[in-house]
Amino acid sequence: MSLIEGDADFSDLQKWVLKLVVLERANLRDEVSRILDESGDIISDLRSENLLGVARIAAGVDRDDFAQDLVERALPHLIAANDLEEALKVARDTRRRPLIEATRERLRGLYPSSELLKSVDAREAAQEGRYGEAAGLLEKASDDREREIGEVFGLLAKGNEGSGLDDPGKLAADLSRGKPDWRSDIQREIMLSLERASRRDDAVEMLLHGDVAWDETWFVFARGLLSRSLNSDSGIVDRAAMSRMMDVCAAFLAEHPAAGYARTSVADLLDADNAGVAGIAVMVMNVVEKALRQPDPVPGAEKESAGLDDMGRLPKAMQRVLRWLAKEGEGVIVPGRHFVPREVLREDPDAFLHGILVMVDRHAPEPDDPVEETLLRQFGAVAISAAPMAEDPDADLPVLRGTAVKASMSGRPQLARDIAELVLLVAGDRPDRRRAAFAAFADIYARVGKYREALLVLAAAFELPSSRTWREMWEERSVLLRILRDLGVADAAVDVVTSLREVAKGIPEAKGYGSRLDTLELHAQLRRSQVGEKDAWTAGRLLEAAVMNAEAVLEAGDEALPAAVMLRQLVDRAEEEGVEIPVAATTAMESLNDRLAPPHRTLVSAAGRLPEAALVASIAGRIAPARYNDDVSYDLRLARTMASRLARAAAVNGDPLSFAYALEVLGSQGVGVHGTGPEVKAAERLLSAPEQPLAVATEIAALGVPVVGMALDGDGLMMMTVDATGPTPPVAVGKEVFDPAQIRVWQQAWPRRYGKPGLPVEQFRGATDRLGIPTLPERAIILSGDLSPMPPNVLTVGDDLAGTSRSLAMAPSLSWLKASIRSARVGDGSAAAWIPVGADGYYMDTLSLMSGEVEDVLEKAGIPLHTQSAVPIEMASADLAIVGAHGGLAESNRFFQGVSDDKAQQTDLRHMVDALRSSRVVLLFVCSGGRLDQHPESGGVVGIAHRLLDKGVDAVISPAWPIPFNMVRPWLGSFLAKWKDDVPLLDAYGAANAEVAAATSMDLSRSLAMSLYGNPFLKRLG
């Protein structure tokens, strides 16, 4: 960077571009993003061909919206073949099909003989099974590799002829003899050929039991194939198959620790929207079984490092190391690239590393101080550089783990994840170091709630030889114990504690771990009590044990924060249940607090039963942004627990400001929305100050639609309404109106059962007989947090269901709705519809019937109807997108899984979302497409409607349960008429529901099915 800056031959623009290139190649992604965000004026003045270079860099750091905007700006002005080919390459990097099509067709129009164009066309032909055509396109390519790819396609064309696929394993072996280097590619293409021939189960069999040479590409491929199989509900991907994939991945990770695509592909495969809760259950069972097979530790197998005799020397030693690292790295410190020599360190390496660990353990980072992140990173970099000289060359790993824990506790979960990834990058070649690195990674990821990846990496640790030390067993089993506790498998967690106690009896090194085991057992027993186990400890026994544990922690000098949080929770619970608080508990609480740093005292206070809004805001408002929106709900798990307690306190005190703040924390943060620029970004949070959410709710209600907030805890429902005149005080809804025990009963069968043909009306109404609210405006925006899985239309209000006489919309959060309302997007009246009937569809198939029902309605409105199997590109330019298809769930009544046609052919949801992301409004006539379920790990909202909003759509209207095809015509006809008249979306939606009610004689399963999620103020041309 300094060389670039000091070169007088470069212009300022050239320097700016070169710096971006250097930073991107150094993988300093956050720095690249920062420069892109700060350089709008520079970018606006760039020539079209220069825009492509910036677009390539933006795509390389996952700024795909940014890259797409630059390509679209440049494309009309590009003439040269190499510029158009570069545009196509960038488009392919974004994987946005509409952008790829636009750039490809412009290239085709000007340079139909382009070799890149032929290459892209060939790969598309191969994807559709037209291997002969693909081979012909590459036959005369000038590039040797491209010609060889064409030869492979030619082999596949011949192999697929006749009975070639009868024995796919033999076919793969035969074709690979002539092209051994292409063996894996040939195997994958044969599996795809089987899938196209409606033999997906055979493809899965070949994948799981064939001679696959696993690498990261294979894991990405397996994720797609097995996900499609799960979506089709064929049953071949059962629990045994899931466990098999986990075994394969664990074995691969054991040898390739930094193989992130392998880890994330299998973790995604076993996520709830693919496998339901069966995925995480299989992972838990797999790891528990592996843990039980591990050998017990051997006494005396580890040595304790001597500490630094003068901790005052540590800062100077760290400064020496940091200066040396900066010099060696020419100004940039890259952890693991350089290792400090002894003459620079000038301290015993083991004592030095032990001193850093002590310093990290004692440090309590200030949440608002930006220097803290630099310091935490420096601790890790220095430890890594000194570790190879130490007698214990793995002593850097506890330091990295400690810095990640402190990062997470201080509101920096993204930094914690970054440090965890660094742990795997420096895991090295020695199996014992890799195993220790896996345990550290698993610990960090478990603490930030990413249990699937933590379990996968823990399974990888168990694939490696054991060092048979107590520390190894403790670090691995304590991680497993916390995961079991957090996932509600409390009995298994208690069993792990018991086994650790037994092993510890014979291990001198385990002396002093008693209080830590007690803390972990307390957490497990509290969890057993919370889920209502028959023999669970009472509040009094839990409190007594917590006091004894706190006294032991204080005596041993262990970390005070976990014991303080536990004791605070149990004192509050005992007070709530009328249990007398012993003096010893108060004394222990005071002593623990005295040991805590100020940021940790705040954390303990905010975790209390009835916290104040300012305290919760001091925690939730300081949580740093996540790099990816999907991580935000994980990062706010603890904050949501605090917010639930704040809501109860606000309802007790009649405090609208605190209740509104609690509602916002309980809402969905980190949901994408269009701003004034080209990118979809997470809406700016309203959590830094307690007064922000109520002010925004009042501002939104002044637009003419009241905001109704609901919060649910173990004691029941609380609610508050904000209308044009301001807020009403929050109230607790009586259990005779809303019984919290009934929500668990309701969720066992509903809302899916609402779509059961012939369901008696009394059962429909009776399902929410004791799930009601006292009042609700005729038009309202609902913010319901943990109540999101229940469509507001079916809430009981008085003697009727809410949706029979009201128009109701749901929104992710106040911050999202504010950002959507203020967005610069304006409708242009365009629309398109897609119902995947397919060329070979039978006229009595459901989607064929749906298409016939709405064809004239769409024609009258001037809306084109597309019926091909693949998502049509034309949908990408539609302001209003209409989709009719089959929808499926991952479980009997949870987690939207996928979209398919009448032949059960799955639509790639990523392609569908990419095609619809530019639309403002999406109508999904897809069974259960309007479901909003809670993710079992993060607690965040999941579902196709939520996913579309996160990618940039402003509103989605879709059914929360299965619907019949003939419901679509009256609903769509009424909606389009109102939409054409430019009425607000909320009113067009309400009119359509009313039209269905009139057309079906008040068939509630049809008239209440559609849910509106998003911005209700949108208009066709506004």
Side-chain angles (χ1 to χ4, degrees), residues 105-126:
E105 292 314 304
R106 180 161 175 81
L107 178 61
R108 192 188 309 281
L110 294 175
Y111 303 98
S113 299
S114 161
E115 290 215 356
L116 178 62
L117 182 62
K118 290 181 179 179
S119 176
V120 174
D121 287 346
R123 282 161 175 77
E124 182 175 286

Side-chain angles (χ1 to χ4, degrees), residues 247-586:
D247 288 339
V248 170
C249 186
F252 182 79
L253 290 174
E255 299 301 322
H256 307 87
Y261 284 118
R263 185 182 78 238
T264 55
S265 292
V266 175
D268 289 347
L269 170 68
L270 299 178
D271 200 357
D273 57 0
N274 276 319
V277 295
I280 191 73
V282 165
M283 299 182 86
V284 167
M285 292 172 60
N286 184 291
V287 173
V288 168
E289 290 172 2
K290 284 181 168 64
L292 293 174
R293 294 198 296 267
Q294 300 304 304
D296 287 340
V298 176
E302 57 190 296
K303 298 179 181 179
E304 288 293 329
S305 298
L308 203 62
D309 55 8
D310 181 7
M311 287 289 288
R313 298 202 308 270
L314 188 63
K316 291 184 179 179
M318 283 189 63
Q319 288 174 359
R320 287 196 302 274
V321 174
L322 288 167
R323 282 196 297 267
W324 183 86
L325 289 172
K327 180 181 178 182
E328 291 297 306
E330 297 183 343
V332 178
I333 296 176
V334 180
R337 179 171 293 178
H338 301 102
F339 301 103
V340 66
R342 288 182 182 274
E343 60 269 23
V344 173
L345 182 60
R346 286 183 275 172
E347 297 284 356
D348 174 78
D350 290 278
F352 176 69
L353 288 163
H354 185 271
I356 295 177
L357 182 59
V358 170
M359 184 178 282
V360 169
D361 285 344
R362 293 176 179 175
H363 186 53
E366 289 289 342
D368 294 330
D369 189 347
V371 175
E372 295 282 12
E373 178 170 340
T374 301
L375 178 60
L376 290 172
R377 290 187 185 276
Q378 288 176 344
F379 280 138
V382 169
I384 292 169
S385 73
M389 289 189 296
E391 186 176 342
D392 179 5
D394 304 329
D396 55 330
L397 298 176
V399 173
L400 290 169
R401 173 195 163 278
T403 58
V405 170
K406 291 303 174 80
S408 178
M409 289 168 55
S410 63
R412 299 175 174 91
Q414 184 58 60
L415 176 58
R417 286 188 289 270
D418 290 346
I419 294 172
E421 297 294 343
L422 175 60
V423 168
L424 296 186
L425 286 172
V426 299
D429 297 325
R430 287 187 291 107
D432 54 339
R433 178 176 175 83
R434 264 187 264 142
R435 181 158 176 160
F438 287 147
F441 176 95
D443 188 5
I444 298 165
Y445 259 54
R447 290 174 186 268
V448 297
K450 308 281 277 189
Y451 301 121
R452 278 169 289 120
E453 291 185 62
L455 286 166
L456 263 175
V457 171
L458 200 54
F462 293 145
E463 294 286 328
L464 295 166
S466 172
S467 65
R468 303 198 68 179
T469 62
W470 167 256
R471 185 171 72 176
E472 177 188 86
M473 185 179 195
W474 167 257
E475 289 175 350
E476 294 170 352
R477 301 295 174 89
S478 60
V479 174
L480 178 57
L481 191 154
R482 280 196 298 272
I483 294 173
L484 293 171
R485 175 201 68 198
D486 292 349
L487 292 177
V489 195
D491 285 341
V494 172
D495 291 342
V496 173
V497 173
T498 303
S499 68
L500 282 170
R501 289 193 196 279
E502 287 299 313
V503 172
K505 290 178 182 178
I507 307 294
E509 296 92 332
K511 185 179 179 181
Y513 278 76
S515 62
R516 301 181 192 182
L517 284 166
D518 291 343
T519 302
L520 291 173
E521 182 173 17
L522 262 172
H523 281 285
Q525 293 292 358
L526 176 59
R527 184 66 171 170
R528 295 183 78 248
S529 177
Q530 290 170 336
V531 299
E533 295 287 349
K534 291 182 180 178
D535 57 344
W537 289 6
T538 63
R541 183 178 176 185
L542 285 166
L543 181 58
E544 180 183 355
V547 172
M548 294 176 61
N549 177 238
E551 292 170 346
V553 166
L554 290 165
E555 182 178 351
D558 285 343
E559 186 181 359
L561 181 60
V565 172
M566 171 60 72
L567 187 56
R568 173 76 271 164
Q569 289 178 327
L570 291 175
V571 166
D572 286 342
R573 180 172 178 179
E575 287 178 343
E576 189 178 6
E577 295 184 11
V579 176
E580 184 178 353
I581 309 301
V583 174
T586 304

Side-chain angles (χ1 to χ4, degrees), residues 92 119-135 138 145 148-161 164-165 167-169 171-173 175-176 179 181-200 202-204 206-207 212 217-218 221-222 225 228:
R92 294 182 70 203
S119 176
V120 174
D121 287 346
R123 282 161 175 77
E124 182 175 286
Q127 287 174 359
E128 297 174 359
R130 296 180 280 116
Y131 292 113
E133 180 182 335
L138 298 179
R145 180 175 173 81
E148 190 169 11
I149 292 173
E151 292 169 5
V152 172
F153 288 152
L155 289 173
L156 288 163
K158 293 178 181 177
N160 275 272
E161 294 174 353
L165 285 176
D167 188 342
L171 176 61
L175 297 183
S176 299
K179 296 285 184 184
D181 293 342
W182 295 87
R183 176 171 169 269
S184 290
D185 298 273
I186 289 170
Q187 288 175 315
R188 284 190 286 268
E189 290 299 330
I190 289 174
M191 291 179 200
L192 292 172
S193 295
L194 288 168
E195 196 173 13
R196 284 189 291 267
S198 300
R199 293 173 56 189
R200 184 182 289 125
D202 291 338
V204 171
M206 184 177 174
L207 174 73
V212 169
T217 303
W218 268 117
F221 176 85
L225 175 61
R228 292 190 295 274

Side-chain angles (χ1 to χ4, degrees), residues 29-90:
R29 302 160 66 90
D30 292 342
E31 186 67 12
V32 173
S33 285
R34 184 189 66 78
I35 292 177
L36 290 174
D37 288 336
E38 294 175 352
S39 305
D41 291 341
I42 295 175
I43 294 172
S44 64
D45 292 335
L46 290 178
R47 295 167 56 186
S48 297
E49 55 269 27
N50 296 132
L51 287 175
L52 296 179
V54 179
R56 182 194 61 76
I57 291 172
V61 295
D62 291 337
R63 297 286 295 272
D64 290 341
D65 286 341
F66 200 100
Q68 178 170 346
D69 177 65
L70 296 181
V71 173
E72 287 175 343
R73 284 162 56 183
L75 193 59
H77 310 289
L78 299 178
I79 301 297
N82 59 328
D83 289 338
L84 286 166
E85 289 183 341
E86 179 63 22
L88 181 53
K89 289 176 184 177
V90 175

Side-chain angles (χ1 to χ4, degrees), residues 408 431 796 993:
S408 178
T796 297
N993 287 349

Side-chain angles (χ1 to χ4, degrees), residues 539-846:
R541 183 178 176 185
L542 285 166
L543 181 58
E544 180 183 355
V547 172
M548 294 176 61
N549 177 238
E551 292 170 346
V553 166
L554 290 165
E555 182 178 351
D558 285 343
E559 186 181 359
L561 181 60
V565 172
M566 171 60 72
L567 187 56
R568 173 76 271 164
Q569 289 178 327
L570 291 175
V571 166
D572 286 342
R573 180 172 178 179
E575 287 178 343
E576 189 178 6
E577 295 184 11
V579 176
E580 184 178 353
I581 309 301
V583 174
T586 304
T587 303
M589 192 74 246
E590 291 173 352
S591 299
L592 288 170
N593 273 328
D594 289 342
R595 288 264 300 274
L596 295 175
H600 293 169
R601 288 196 200 111
T602 301
L603 187 63
V604 173
S605 298
R609 182 167 63 94
L610 297 175
E612 296 178 355
L615 268 178
V616 177
S618 70
I619 303 297
R622 292 173 170 177
I623 296 173
R627 186 171 294 121
Y628 301 109
N629 289 357
D630 289 345
D631 289 330
V632 175
S633 57
Y634 290 93
D635 297 346
L636 291 169
R637 291 177 308 143
L638 177 59
R640 284 201 299 272
T641 300
M642 296 175 179
S644 181
R645 295 169 182 162
L646 175 62
R648 179 57 60 182
V652 169
N653 299 323
D655 179 0
L657 185 148
S658 295
F659 194 79
Y661 187 85
L663 285 173
E664 184 64 6
V665 179
L666 291 168
S668 294
Q669 302 296 320
V671 183
V673 64
H674 279 281
T676 55
E679 289 187 278
V680 174
K681 293 185 177 181
E684 185 176 350
R685 298 179 193 172
L686 301 173
L687 303 180
S688 58
E691 64 274 8
Q692 286 179 300
L694 182 59
V696 171
T698 304
E699 176 186 314
I700 291 171
L703 298 176
V705 182
V707 175
V708 177
M710 303 179 193
L712 180 69
D713 67 6
D715 291 329
L717 185 70
M718 301 151 279
M719 65 179 296
M720 178 179 79
T721 299
V722 181
D723 59 22
T725 64
T728 59
V731 297
V733 178
K735 290 188 178 180
E736 70 281 1
V737 178
F738 191 103
D739 183 355
Q742 286 298 112
I743 191 70
R744 291 187 291 273
V745 176
W746 180 87
Q747 287 178 320
Q748 292 175 9
W750 313 89
R752 185 174 185 177
R753 195 176 176 196
Y754 287 124
K756 182 180 178 181
L759 180 71
V761 66
E762 58 271 16
Q763 286 190 28
F764 194 107
R765 292 179 177 276
T768 52
D769 184 40
R770 295 183 62 194
L771 294 172
I773 52 178
T775 185
L776 193 64
E778 291 184 1
R779 301 164 76 243
I781 299 165
I782 309 292
L783 299 168
S784 55
D786 289 345
L787 201 61
S788 295
M790 174 173 284
N793 279 347
V794 299
L795 284 168
T796 297
V797 184
D799 296 327
D800 210 346
L801 299 181
T804 58
S805 57
R806 295 170 179 83
S807 295
L808 307 172
M810 296 178 289
S813 63
L814 290 165
S815 56
W816 182 92
L817 186 53
K818 174 186 175 182
S820 177
I821 292 170
R822 293 190 175 183
S823 170
R825 300 219 295 169
V826 177
D828 61 3
S830 62
W834 173 56
I835 302 175
V837 174
D840 56 346
Y842 179 51
Y843 78 98
M844 289 299 289
D845 288 340
T846 301

Side-chain angles (χ1 to χ4, degrees), residues 842-882:
Y842 179 51
Y843 78 98
M844 289 299 289
D845 288 340
T846 301
L847 297 182
S848 293
L849 292 170
M850 180 190 291
S851 175
E853 283 267 313
V854 301
E855 190 172 9
D856 63 324
V857 175
L858 294 170
E859 184 177 357
K860 180 181 177 181
I863 299 174
L865 172 62
H866 305 274
T867 59
Q868 65 262 44
S869 296
V871 184
I873 295 299
E874 291 80 1
M875 301 297 290
S877 57
D879 186 58
L880 170 68
I882 304 167

